[in-house]
Every structure is written in C-alpha cells, then in structure tokens.
Amino acid sequence: MSNTKALDIVNLHAGYGETEILKGINLNVEHSEIVAIIGPNGAGKSTVVKSVLGLLNIISGNISLNGNNIVGIAPDKAIKSGISYVPQTHNIFPNLTITENLEMGAWTKSKGIPERIQEMFELFPDLKVKRNKVAGSLSGGQRQMVAMAKALMVDSKIMLLDEPTAGLSPKFQSEIFRTIKRINKNGVPILLVEQNAKQALETADRGYVLVDGSNKVEGKGQDLINDRNVARMFLGSKD
Amino acid sequence: MWETFGFEFVNFYLIPGLVLGCIYALGAIGITLTFSILRFANFAHGEVMMIGAYFTWTAMVLSNDLFGVPLHPLVAAAPAVLLAIGLFILVDRYFYKPFRYASTIRVVMASFGMMLIIRSFVQAVWGPNQLTFVPGIAKPNELVKNFTASVDMMILVPNKHFWIIAGTLVIMFALSWLLTKTKIGKGMRAVSDSPELAKVSGIDVEIIVKATWFVGGFCAVAAGVFLAMDLQMLETTMGFRMLLPMFAAAILGGIGRPFGAVIGGLVIGLAEELSVYPWFGNGSLISPGYKTGVAFTIMVVMLVIRPSGLFKGRLF
Ligand SMILES: Nc1ncnc2c1ncn2[C@@H]1O[C@H](COP(=O)(O)OP(=O)(O)O)[C@@H](O)[C@H]1O
Ligand SMILES: [Mg+2]
C-alpha cells in the first residue's frame, strides 16, 4: 500500500467522442494529500475529473485508484468503488429533501446508510436542522454542503471536487475550504479543481496548473503561489 | 335550496366532473413521469389505457365463458395490468431503448408510430367496433344514497362512479407512499430532477426506467378500466380521445409533478363538466359540442402565462 497512490493518472489522452481534449495528463494524489488543479476556463479541468469517473472516451493512458486500473469503468461502478464526486453544476437534487439527497448518494450501498447520514450531520451541523427541507430551498453555500455530504455517502477512497466555491460569498468560500481540510484530516484524499487559485493553493499540499489539456507546472502549493508566471496568470498580480 | 339547485348540480355536473377528473388524473401521472424521467412526450400513452381496458374485458369474458364466473372489472383488471405492464416494458426494451440518447423529437415520433401500431393491433384482434363492457343500468350506491338522504341532501352516485373515485383515492395513497418512502420512488424523483447527477450518483437509471413504465402503466390501465366502466363500452379510439386532456392536465400541474398532474386532471375534468352547467339563465354556459375545447384552452392559456404549471414543473 505504501507506494501506491490514492489516484494516479499517467499520460492520459481523452475526449468527448472523437475530439481529444486531454493531451497527456500526468497527475497523482497521495493518500494524505489535498491536491489542487488550477488553470484557465476551458483548460480541461472538469474533463480530467470526469475521465476518472468513466464519463469520457479514454484514448490512451492509465488511471488507477489505490493501484487498481479503473480505465473504462462505468460511472456507477466508479461510485461504488469509493469515488466521491461533486460536479461543478447541478450537484444536488433540488426537489428532494436533504436526507433524501444523502440517501441518493448512497444508492450503491446497502448497509450502514442511517449511520453514515448521522456522521454527515456531525460534519455539517447546519444540514441536520434542515434535514427535511428540500435542497432547492437552501442558500448556495448550504447547497454545496449538501452536495459534499451526498458525495461522501460512499466509503470514500478519494474525493473529487469541481469548483466547490464558484459563485459563493467570501465567507462561505472560506468555510468550504475549512470543511475540505477537515474531510481530509478524517483520512480522505482530495483532488480539488478551483478557479479561486490563491485560496485553493493555500489549502492544498500540492497543485497542478492545467493549460490547453496538459499540465504545464506542478509543485507545492506555496511554491506555486510564489511562482512569478503562475502569479501573473492566475493570481491577479500585476508584474 | 338542495332540491332546486344542489341536487342537479352535484349529481349531474359535479360528480361526473370528478369522475372524469379522476380518469384524466390517473392518465396524466404516466404522461408527466415519462416526460420528466424518459424525457419525451409519449403519444402512445392513451393506447396503454385502451389496451389495458381490452385486456380487462377479455379476462371478464374468458372467466365467464370458461368458468361461469362473472368477474368485477376491478378484479379482471389485475391480470390485465400485469399483462399491459409486461408488454410495455418489452416495448421499451426493444423499441424505445435504442432511442434513449437520441434527440427528443425522434422518440416522440417513435411513440406516435407505437400509438398507431397498438391501435391497429387491437383493431385486428378485437375488431374495430364498440364492445359492451358492463351491460345494464348503473344503480346508485345504496350506502351513499341512504346516508345523504338522511341529512336531506340526497346524492345518487352510481356504483361505477363510487368505485372509480374510491379506486383513484387508493392509487393516490399508494403512489404517494411509493414516491416518498421507497428507494425506487425517491430514485424516480431524483432522475426526474437531474438525470446527469443521477448517473454520477451511481443510480441505476435502467431500473428507474422500468419502474416508470410500471407506475405509469399501472395508472394508465386503471384509467382505461375506469373509463370503460364509466362509458360501459370499449372502442379503439378511447385512449386517443383522452390524450389531449391528459397532456393538458400534466402541463397544468407542471411537468414532473405527479401530484400536480392529479390536481390538473381534476381541474380539467371539473372544468369540462361545469362548462356546460347553466350558470346564467337556462342554457348551458357553452354548447356541449365545445366541451373538448375546454382542456385545449386551459393548456394553451397555461403554456402562455405560466409554462412551468401550477406547481413549478420542469421546462424543456
Ligand atoms: N460535453 C462536452 N462535449 C464536448 N466538448 C466538451 C464537453 N464539455 C466540455 N467540452 C470541451 O472541453 C474543453 C475543456 O472543458 P472543461 O474541462 O469543462 O474546462 P474547465 O473545467 O477547465 O473550464 C472545452 O474546450 C470544452 O468546450
Ligand atoms: Mg470546469
């Protein structure tokens, strides 16, 4: 176990149908890590995450979860094998209650569901009091909490978060980043896609910069923040 | 008061409107579920009603001819429901499934074709002429009659109407339990909410599709049998004639809202019957010949002023 990675993507080429979007991605997540992917719009960040879930046509390359090859896996098998995926948009069922949303996250499980729901309510106390409210009635930040709790209902081997702070107020953004740290402390490796590059890199152990379907720069979170090129491209610095 | 206005209004307009509303409601449930879960307007839905009624008729005739046992239509409907659902799950597997990820208009046209296939099939097997479903004069329900007469508000609900209203209520409660208390029912609501998220949540969409045909088919066959009980006869166009009011009911309630569809069905059934009540003076408000226009008018008005329906359904 010690030398296998939680997630290991090697020289991945993939796309939607015929069009190749990812042109050689190399990326890994260690068991204890939070890893961030940053990059401009349309770089292929969401596509990387979706390819792990089996939603893409994989042209070549390798994806392994805890050392097991998962290329060509069906999405329901990916979820069952312990991938907690929070999509960028449409990540809750708005007309289902919070509890029902969590139950849907546990569709592939048959045991331990009520216990897991209780654990989620401990992790997200705000959700507990509103558990019988429909998710569509919640604020943006709370919806994101539902989406994360729903994804964590499986026995998570890794969590994939696609821009969890997009469109949230700064207060909620910080809360989401704190929650991500807490989930990671509980032993879940995390791959985090973010527009909010600075806070993402501060939260993450390591980061990758993705441009036009391949990763250009990688390094420790703090090193990337200090990198002049990265700073100019993504962190809004002037020089 | 009751003798001059109430008796006539309740017995000849309100109750028939309610009965018609129940039939539309049950039919509209299947339409709204197929629309929101399988994502197409199923033109063949009326034919599910129709063939279910023909199966029921056949079970009644067979039972009487072979064993000399006359079955109540609601008993004969049990095997008919199973047969019809089985048939439509097969139709889905071999006819609709290849279209699952095709553009909506193709599936809609395919369902139009399926509508013609089923109707022609029924005409070939059972003949194009009307068949008698339950002969004789409908007797009023004694229980309701005696009770309401004792409080000087006599209501004469024919037994057939009593069964239709009671049967619809039972199905509503069962449906509500299914959709809110069972895993499969919650899964149906989830797929209706967001098919993309359902897929990446590991929800088995094919099971949900089967459940949708099951629930929609069950309600449709019930609607078909109730319609045949009400009219006391069968004909091959009976389902098609229900199609417009059922779509109107589904749209009125909001697509993807089964209970919206129920309310929509009741509103349209009542509106159709009450539109011919002599509200002002002696003549009926609108000529009975225009009764079927009521559903159409409600549907068009709704699509113009509030396309998401009364209960905020899905927009396509
Ligand atoms: N479903 C799709 N079908 C075809 N092309 C897509 C699809 N989704 C995204 N793309 C294309 O893939 C590229 C990468 O998109 P995406 O991964 O969403 O970028 P990012 O998340 O980095 O903003 C874009 O050029 C986009 O147009
Ligand atoms: Mg994206």
Side-chain angles (χ1 to χ4, degrees), chain B residues 21 24-30 32-33 172 175 179 245-268 302 308-313:
Chain B
Y24 291 160
L26 287 168
I29 289 170
T32 210
L33 288 176
M172 292 303 120
L175 182 68
L179 290 176
M246 292 189 306
F247 267 101
I251 288 168
L252 182 60
I255 293 297
R257 301 270 180 236
F259 293 101
V262 171
I263 302 291
L266 290 174
V267 168
I268 288 181
M302 206 61 194
S308 62
L310 293 174
F311 299 94
K312 273 191 87 194

Side-chain angles (χ1 to χ4, degrees), chain B:
Chain B
M1 235 351 233
W2 180 253
E3 279 69 27
T4 33
F5 300 108
F7 180 80
E8 190 194 347
F9 181 76
V10 170
N11 289 301
F12 302 139
Y13 295 91
L14 195 62
I15 290 175
L18 210 57
V19 167
L20 192 60
C22 285
I23 293 167
Y24 291 160
L26 287 168
I29 289 170
I31 291 198
T32 210
L33 288 176
T34 336
F35 214 139
S36 63
I37 295 175
L38 286 113
R39 275 141 222 268
F40 71 94
N42 184 11
F43 277 100
H45 195 69
E47 311 312 303
V48 185
M49 288 176 66
M50 184 269 285
I51 204 169
Y54 273 83
F55 285 158
T56 305
W57 177 86
T58 307
M60 287 161 72
V61 169
L62 282 181
S63 158
N64 206 14
D65 290 0
L66 296 180
F67 312 111
V69 185
L71 291 181
H72 190 277
L74 294 186
V75 178
V81 161
L82 294 180
L83 199 59
I85 289 173
L87 177 68
F88 281 92
I89 287 182
L90 283 180
V91 166
D92 178 70
R93 172 68 187 74
Y94 294 103
F95 190 79
Y96 291 123
K97 198 177 176 187
F99 293 102
R100 198 79 90 221
Y101 300 99
S103 66
T104 302
I105 189 64
R106 291 188 192 200
V107 205
V108 172
M109 293 322 288
S111 80
F112 202 84
M114 185 42 66
M115 174 183 91
L116 299 175
I117 291 170
I118 295 168
R119 196 182 315 156
S120 306
F121 171 77
V122 172
Q123 283 170 349
V125 174
W126 283 274
N129 300 323
Q130 288 188 358
L131 301 174
T132 305
F133 194 66
V134 185
I137 296 166
K139 285 197 226 51
N141 186 288
E142 289 292 328
L143 223 68
V144 176
K145 181 182 155 192
N146 292 339
F147 175 73
T148 51
S150 72
V151 292
D152 286 331
M153 285 180 39
M154 188 160 72
I155 296 177
L156 302 173
V157 195
N159 262 321
K160 58 180 187 181
H161 288 174
F162 178 80
W163 285 115
I164 293 171
I165 294 171
T168 305
L169 277 174
V170 169
I171 294 173
M172 292 303 120
F173 280 114
L175 182 68
S176 152
W177 173 80
L178 178 90
L179 290 176
T180 57
K181 295 288 185 287
T182 68
K183 180 175 178 178
I184 199 93
K186 292 175 200 177
M188 287 170 71
R189 284 163 54 219
V191 175
S192 157
D193 248 10
S194 171
E196 301 82 16
L197 182 60
K199 193 175 167 201
V200 298
S201 303
I203 295 177
D204 184 343
V205 176
E206 285 303 319
I207 292 225
I208 301 296
V209 168
K210 286 200 184 68
T212 306
W213 287 112
F214 191 97
V215 174
F218 186 96
C219 295
V221 173
V225 173
F226 289 164
L227 182 63
M229 282 167 72
D230 189 23
L231 303 175
Q232 298 183 245
M233 60 89 184
L234 300 176
E235 57 187 338
T236 57
T237 53
M238 62 189 277
F240 182 67
R241 276 189 281 107
M242 294 286 116
L243 205 57
L244 178 76
M246 292 189 306
F247 267 101
I251 288 168
L252 182 60
I255 293 297
R257 301 270 180 236
F259 293 101
V262 171
I263 302 291
L266 290 174
V267 168
I268 288 181
L270 284 169
E272 282 190 0
E273 291 300 328
L274 300 187
S275 69
V276 291
Y277 182 74
W279 292 101
F280 309 106
N282 291 322
S284 63
L285 183 64
I286 64 168
S287 158
Y290 292 114
K291 214 157 116 175
T292 48
V294 172
F296 187 70
T297 310
I298 293 178
M299 181 169 83
V300 170
V301 168
M302 206 61 194
L303 284 173
V304 171
I305 61 167
R306 195 176 154 96
S308 62
L310 293 174
F311 299 94
K312 273 191 87 194
R314 176 175 272 278
L315 290 174
F316 286 85

Side-chain angles (χ1 to χ4, degrees), chain A residues 11-235:
Chain A
N11 201 17
L12 179 67
H13 292 255
Y16 302 93
E18 296 294 292
T19 27
E20 184 175 333
I21 306 281
L22 304 180
K23 303 154 188 161
I25 298 282
N26 289 285
L27 175 160
N28 59 65
V29 183
E30 301 275 359
H31 283 282
S32 61
E33 274 187 322
I34 300 177
V35 170
I37 303 180
I38 60 171
N41 246 329
K45 304 184 296 297
S46 296
T47 307
V48 171
V49 173
K50 287 184 197 163
S51 66
V52 176
L53 219 62
L55 293 169
L56 271 271
N57 174 28
I58 310 281
I59 299 161
S60 66
N62 201 39
I63 307 173
S64 52
L65 185 70
N66 291 328
N68 302 314
N69 183 11
I70 56 164
V71 168
I73 199 170
D76 57 331
K77 294 282 180 325
I79 302 298
K80 199 177 164 75
S81 66
I83 297 176
S84 291
Y85 170 50
V86 182
Q88 182 172 353
T89 54
H90 303 294
N91 51 21
I92 55 161
F93 298 111
N95 291 303
L96 268 56
T97 67
I98 291 180
T99 308
E100 287 170 341
N101 265 276
L102 301 195
E103 286 168 356
M104 290 303 106
W107 184 272
T108 56
K109 272 171 65 156
S110 49
K111 283 201 287 280
I113 297 171
E115 294 80 2
R116 189 72 175 159
I117 290 178
Q118 283 315 313
E119 284 172 40
M120 287 304 121
F121 285 155
E122 278 159 37
L123 189 61
F124 303 99
D126 284 5
L127 300 186
K128 186 173 185 174
V129 282
K130 300 197 169 172
R131 61 183 177 277
N132 294 323
K133 290 236 161 28
V134 291
S137 68
L138 303 174
S139 72
Q142 286 169 336
R143 285 178 194 219
Q144 205 62 43
M145 301 280 180
V146 174
M148 289 166 75
K150 174 191 157 295
L152 287 169
M153 286 298 294
V154 296
D155 304 313
S156 311
K157 304 279 189 310
I158 188 162
M159 185 173 203
L160 312 173
L161 288 152
D162 197 348
E163 302 202 17
T165 68
L168 299 185
S169 69
K171 174 174 158 279
F172 268 123
Q173 291 190 357
S174 306
E175 185 165 345
I176 297 277
F177 283 118
R178 275 200 302 277
T179 311
I180 290 170
K181 282 235 173 218
R182 207 152 28 140
I183 294 167
N184 180 247
K185 285 243 165 56
N186 289 344
V188 182
I190 288 174
L191 182 64
L192 169 67
V193 171
E194 262 300 337
Q195 282 282 306
N196 186 345
K198 186 155 187 297
Q199 254 182 309
L201 291 174
E202 282 167 1
T203 307
D205 300 295
R206 286 187 301 124
Y208 293 85
V209 179
L210 209 70
V211 181
D212 195 21
S214 57
N215 42 329
K216 296 283 187 250
V217 194
E218 74 168 278
K220 289 220 161 59
Q222 204 54 48
D223 294 349
L224 287 180
I225 293 176
N226 297 333
D227 184 300
R228 283 175 63 96
N229 286 323
V230 175
R232 205 177 53 238
M233 277 194 292
F234 304 111
L235 304 177

